[in-house]
Structures are given as C-alpha cells and as structure tokens.
Amino acid sequence: MGIKITTTGHYLPALKVSNDDLTQYMDTSHEWINKRTGISSRHIATNENTSDLASEAAKRILAKSGISAEELDFIIVATMTPDALSPSTACIVQEKIGASKAFCFDISAACSGFVYALSNASHLMKSGNYDKGLVIGAETMSKVINWQDRSTAVLFGDGAGGVLLERTDSPEDSFLAEDLHADGSRHLALVADHKNVQNPFTEVKETQSYYLEMDGRGIFDFAIRNVPETINRIIANSTLSKDDVAWVVAHQANKRLLEAISKKSNIPFEKFGLNIADTGNTSAASIPILLDQMIESNQIQAGENILLTGFGGGLTWGSLLIKL
Ligand code: ACO
C-alpha cells in the first residue's frame, strides 16, 4: 500500500492586474517591479474570498480525479488569509463542495504552508486510518495588502491550488523525504493582521497595523541562506542525488531570489519551475498552483522526482521530496 499524490488542480481569480495597471494606484513602474522580482502581472480576487478560491480548486481536482466529494476523509487548507479565525477555511470548503464525511482544519505557516500541510497530510495517511484527503493552499493576499505601500503591494497575488492524496494498491509512495523548520525569533520579519488584546480591562490602548508588513531585504537574505541548507539536507537524508531531481517547485517569491537559491544549492536554474511572472507571490498557494500548471503542460512527467521547497513568514521553511 502506498500513499500517492494522484491529482492536482488550481484556480486563479479572473481579474489580471498588470504592473502598468498598478501605476494608476502607486508610484511604481513595470521596469522596477519586473527587474527586481520577475513579476509582470498577478490575479486579484474582486468578490471571492479564500474559501471560494480553495473550493474552486477543490472542485477542479475532484472533476479531474473522478472521485466524489463524499469520499474525502479530510480537507486541509494552508492559508495566512483565512475567511475568518473561526470557522476554519477548510470547514467552509467542506460545505461548498459537499464533502460531508471529511474532517477539516487550516494550517498557518505563511508561504511554507503548503509544504507543512502536505507533510502533515502524508503522515495522517500513513496512519492507515484514511484513504483520501485534499490538501489545498489558498490565499487572498490582496485583502491584507496596504495598497498605498508600493514596497509590498506589487509583490503579491491571489489564487489556490491543491492535491488529492490517495491510498493505492501499488507499493510506490509519493513521499520520499522531508525537512521542516521554523525560527520564531524572527517572527517580526513578516506580520499581517496582528491583533493586540483590546478589551474594557486593557490599560494601554495600542493601534497596530492590520496590513502586511515585511522586512523585504531580511526575508531575501534569510531565504538565500536557509533554503539551500534545507535542499542540501533533504537530499543528504534521502537515497537520491541532486541529479535525480527532475524539477524544483519552489515558493514563487522573487525570480532573482530563486536564481540565487539555484546557484547556492548547485541545482541548474533550468530545473526550477517558474510562474511568478503571471501570478506574483501567492504565498501558500504558489507551490500547488505551479505544480498543477507544470503537470498540465507536460513539463512534469509521471514518475519524476520533484523537490518542493517553501519559505516565508514565521519564519518558516522546509522541503518535501516527492515522486509523482
Ligand atoms: N516601485 C518603485 N520603487 C520602489 C518600489 C516599487 N514598487 N518598492 C520600493 N521601491 C524603492 C524603495 O523606496 C527604495 O528607494 P530608495 O533607494 O530611494 O530608498 C528602492 O526602491 C530600493 O528598495 P529596496 O526595498 O531596498 O529594494 P530591494 O532591492 O530590496 O527589493 C524586494 C525589494 C523586491 C521586496 C526584495 O527585497 C524581495 O523580494 N525580498 C523578498 C521578499 C519576499 O519574498 N517576501 C515574501 C515572503 S513569503 C511570505 O511569507 C508571505
């Protein structure tokens, strides 16, 4: 019995906003954004929330796989932009797709969220208690962005992607190795929707920004240092060499950053999947969106070894070595 990633899917909201479009709202330019980040446009939700994007991705996965929503044992949604603190976004997705048997919860690990969620899901499946589960990364980053702040507003986009895990009769397993990390001492490097205790008994009334605030340079430096380390560690802890890895599906934060990670980890940049030009940084959704696009375009072939690597707020980072 093996645990396999059998189906992938994604959904992007219809509105595409170009760098030139953004110049109407802030002092920026296509040249600055594209040169520093590799981003040309991003999809932005207008009246859909995170659970809507996640549900559309889920429906596409179910339609592709041919299984019904009632067969799902669990739904995990990785997100830093949930519809609400309660209920979880995963519970709303359950209702929207009709997965009445599934237990549901969200995982919060910012841009590493999908890697964290997929790792957790693989272990749930390995318990032997479950046969089918959905893991989705979904974000509406546009609702936590300060649209007056050009240093962050140009970077992010909205979207959702996910995978279906199934127990199969084949002894082959999709999950070859994992390597997850966090460093809470650097939690202030990326903060969004911070809430202080404010009640009638609070002495000091503080007003903290709701919007996403980020130490861009700090995160860039962290990723260049820590992501090659996790890549080296996961390869060392597996039976594979870097040459055996067909593709790196990394969190799409910045093209220049991915080039630096490729160089430092000694994996040719041609092996790095890329969609940041059209999606921007969709946080926990970026890896499953890219994975599905690469499978759909036949870039990724069945049986290939894929390295997923995520990094972001928390700080969190980590990798999964999977075989499709
Ligand atoms: N348009 C034009 N000019 C701009 C813009 C903009 N959109 N944004 C900033 N600038 C200006 C700045 O004001 C500054 O001007 P100054 O020199 O006159 O002061 C200049 O450009 C340089 O700004 P820096 O912030 O130093 O630019 P940098 O080269 O560091 O690039 C960037 C910024 C793109 C944010 C980069 O640091 C980066 O990509 N960091 C990684 C961030 C990241 O990946 N975050 C997501 C983490 S994932 C998660 O957990 C959600």
Side-chain angles (χ1 to χ4, degrees):
M1 291 286 198
I3 311 302
K4 292 288 283 180
I5 296 172
T6 58
T7 319
T8 58
H10 79 278
Y11 174 79
L12 293 164
L15 179 67
K16 204 166 176 180
V17 177
S18 70
N19 292 344
D20 281 340
D21 294 335
L22 290 181
T23 62
Q24 296 171 37
Y25 304 94
M26 61 198 80
D27 180 16
T28 189
S29 66
H30 171 71
E31 289 65 35
W32 192 97
I33 301 170
N34 197 255
K35 184 163 171 263
R36 305 264 176 154
T37 69
I39 299 169
S40 295
S41 60
R42 71 287 291 144
H43 292 257
I44 299 291
T46 48
N47 54 11
E48 296 165 300
N49 210 330
T50 300
S51 67
D52 299 303
L53 306 186
S55 299
E56 286 308 315
K59 285 178 193 167
R60 290 179 178 191
I61 294 168
L62 293 176
K64 239 196 259 185
S65 75
I67 75 155
S68 72
E70 288 86 5
E71 292 176 69
L72 291 172
D73 295 306
F74 62 82
I75 301 171
I76 305 176
V77 174
T79 186
M80 61 173 278
T81 51
D83 291 21
L85 291 180
S86 179
S88 69
T89 304
C91 277
I92 307 174
V93 172
Q94 186 220 41
E95 193 264 333
K96 284 185 169 149
I97 67 172
S100 50
K101 196 180 85 180
F103 68 88
C104 304
F105 61 98
D106 290 357
I107 280 186
S108 170
C111 302
S112 313
F114 184 75
V115 169
Y116 268 53
L118 191 53
S119 159
N120 276 276
S122 74
H123 294 295
L124 279 172
M125 294 289 287
K126 281 173 190 168
S127 73
N129 293 330
Y130 313 108
D131 292 325
K132 295 180 199 310
L134 268 188
V135 183
I136 299 170
E139 304 280 12
T140 42
M141 296 302 288
S142 61
K143 71 183 180 189
V144 292
I145 294 299
N146 176 358
W147 288 93
Q148 320 295 309
D149 175 12
R150 66 179 183 173
S151 70
T152 53
V154 302
L155 303 174
F156 295 95
D158 300 334
V163 300
L164 174 66
L165 299 187
E166 293 186 85
R167 175 180 309 287
T168 70
D169 292 335
S170 145
E172 284 225 331
D173 204 284
S174 285
F175 295 90
L176 308 179
E178 68 176 39
D179 186 61
L180 302 181
H181 299 277
D183 177 2
S185 73
R186 290 185 279 172
H187 69 274
L188 291 176
L190 193 147
V191 179
D193 195 8
H194 179 92
K195 287 188 178 70
N196 279 322
V197 174
Q198 292 284 309
N199 59 43
F201 313 100
T202 309
E203 280 174 19
V204 184
K205 305 283 181 212
E206 276 186 275
T207 48
Q208 186 101 15
S209 171
Y210 160 85
Y211 294 118
L212 183 146
E213 288 178 350
M214 180 181 79
D215 170 10
R217 191 55 68 86
I219 293 202
F220 200 96
D221 293 345
F222 138 71
I224 288 182
R225 193 174 50 251
N226 291 68
V227 177
E229 274 174 24
T230 166
I231 291 177
N232 288 337
R233 202 175 303 115
I234 198 168
I235 295 290
N237 291 339
S238 77
T239 56
L240 303 182
S241 73
K242 285 180 184 169
D243 289 343
D244 298 323
V245 174
W247 293 101
V248 179
V249 179
H251 169 51
Q252 304 286 294
N254 181 318
K255 189 175 174 214
R256 276 193 313 154
L257 182 52
L258 294 177
E259 284 166 345
I261 289 170
S262 149
K263 212 168 166 189
K264 251 192 116 179
S265 54
N266 264 321
I267 299 183
F269 194 55
E270 298 72 53
K271 286 191 176 183
F272 279 65
L274 276 183
N275 68 358
I276 189 165
D278 299 318
T279 58
N281 177 346
T282 56
S283 183
S286 80
I287 290 175
I289 292 171
L290 177 60
L291 185 66
D292 183 50
Q293 288 174 335
M294 291 178 74
I295 290 172
E296 285 296 306
S297 63
N298 292 319
Q299 253 184 306
I300 291 179
Q301 306 286 332
E304 285 186 325
N305 300 311
I306 315 291
L307 178 61
L308 309 182
T309 189
F311 49 91
L315 295 174
T316 55
W317 66 102
S319 302
L320 284 176
L321 205 45
I322 61 170
K323 191 183 181 77
L324 290 176

